[in-house]
Amino acid sequence: MAASPHQDRLKLYGAEFSSRLLAGTAQYPSPAILSQSIAAARAEIVTVSLRRESGGSRAGEGFWALIRELGVRVLPNTAGCLSVKDAVTTAQMAREVFDTPWIKLEVIGEEDTLQPDVFGLVEAASILTREGFQVFPYTTEDLVAAEKLLGAGCEVLMPWGSPIGSGRGLNNPYALRSLRAHFPGVPLIVDAGIGAPSHAAVAMEMGFDAVLINTAIAKAGDPVQMARAFALAVEAGRLGYNADLMQARDMAAPSTPVIGRAFSDRAHA
């Protein structure tokens, strides 16, 4: 029997959450719209960039105060880091600033697609987990990389749906399904590329534990309404997955019984 909504909670590094929508905090038209959008999304975890917090004297204090007022869990990230050294240093600084062992680890290997450098990612994750960090690695859907990251001490994986900010949705559903099947007990959060609520619903119907959305909400014509749409889509997708979706068929199957209908023996007339 499927878990009740009360029991069906997202568990990450020993913490539990009722929402399965993680929200980014960049690119919003104003702090007020950011605040309203996070509330509409019912997000309990938000990602924040160290650069925004520390980019200039007291420049991030207003933003940080807004995040605190939201009462959400903060997941700092190493966005924009192109080397293991930069990512590790940024993570160490973020732990001091945000006072959390959580870190969304990004080591970018290619600037046109912002594709993760999975080799550098594994190396950086190994260093950080030894230092006591609880690492959320932004990775591809590659099974070998996933296995290495788990071996490095990561308890959560964040595979991309498609390149960051592209809005293309799930580029490789076959590989994502394979990843889900290979690691049934590992929390998997689809990160990057989701552009529409329907993309988020599909990811949840595939059995992913959560999704992270930033640009699709922040750059929408009405970010607050879009945040609400994503919240509903994530909830619907999770309910569908828990309810055990029917298997797709190549051939038609009548949904109404045909025995006894007036023309059921027409072929033999």
Side-chain angles (χ1 to χ4, degrees):
M1 179 179 293
S4 70
H6 179 70
Q7 296 170 322
D8 185 36
R9 293 172 64 80
L10 176 65
K11 299 177 182 177
L12 304 170
Y13 286 109
E16 294 191 11
F17 304 90
S18 58
S19 172
R20 293 176 180 272
L21 171 54
L22 285 65
T25 56
Q27 306 185 74
Y28 283 86
S30 73
I33 292 178
L34 165 62
S35 179
Q36 294 167 25
S37 298
I38 298 299
R42 300 197 294 267
E44 297 174 300
I45 301 170
V46 300
T47 60
V48 296
S49 169
L50 178 65
R51 287 185 175 84
R52 181 164 188 171
E53 173 64 16
S54 58
S57 177
R58 306 175 70 85
E61 289 188 1
F63 170 75
W64 186 223
L66 183 153
I67 297 299
R68 282 198 300 265
E69 289 174 0
L70 292 172
V72 294
R73 180 78 181 251
V74 171
L75 174 58
N77 65 50
T78 63
C81 290
L82 301 175
S83 70
V84 172
K85 181 180 179 181
D86 286 351
V88 169
T89 301
T90 301
Q92 292 167 337
M93 294 172 65
R95 179 161 63 179
E96 296 301 317
V97 171
F98 297 107
D99 190 27
T100 175
W102 279 20
I103 190 72
K104 183 194 167 196
L105 180 62
E106 296 185 21
V107 182
I108 300 302
E110 205 284 319
E111 292 192 77
D112 286 336
T113 62
L114 299 180
Q115 179 166 336
D117 169 4
V118 294
F119 304 100
L121 191 64
V122 172
E123 182 180 350
S126 298
I127 295 170
L128 293 172
T129 55
R130 286 199 299 271
E131 294 183 4
F133 281 91
Q134 295 172 332
V135 179
F136 295 67
Y138 164 61
T139 184
T140 65
E141 63 280 89
D142 185 275
L143 292 177
V144 177
E147 192 72 59
K148 297 288 186 184
L149 288 166
L150 296 173
C154 299
E155 296 181 11
V156 177
L157 299 176
M158 301 185 73
W160 67 350
S162 51
I164 293 172
S166 68
R168 292 177 51 83
L170 308 182
N171 258 1
N172 195 341
Y174 166 77
L176 288 169
R177 285 194 180 92
S178 182
L179 188 70
R180 178 69 285 176
H182 273 74
F183 305 105
V186 176
L188 299 178
I189 302 169
V190 174
D191 179 13
I194 289 179
S198 56
H199 300 157
V202 170
M204 299 304 295
E205 289 171 354
M206 290 168 65
F208 284 86
D209 295 277
V211 296
L212 170 59
I213 313 292
N214 190 162
T215 307
I217 295 176
K219 304 299 283 185
D222 185 338
V224 178
Q225 187 165 242
M226 187 61 76
R228 175 65 173 152
F230 269 105
L232 294 171
V234 169
E235 183 178 353
R238 182 65 180 180
L239 287 171
Y241 171 73
N242 283 341
D244 193 10
L245 295 159
M246 65 170 285
Q247 295 296 312
R249 297 166 51 97
D250 291 331
M251 300 299 290
S255 56
T256 301
V258 296
I259 296 175
R261 68 181 181 181
F263 51 91
S264 62
D265 59 347
R266 182 174 55 186
H268 305 290

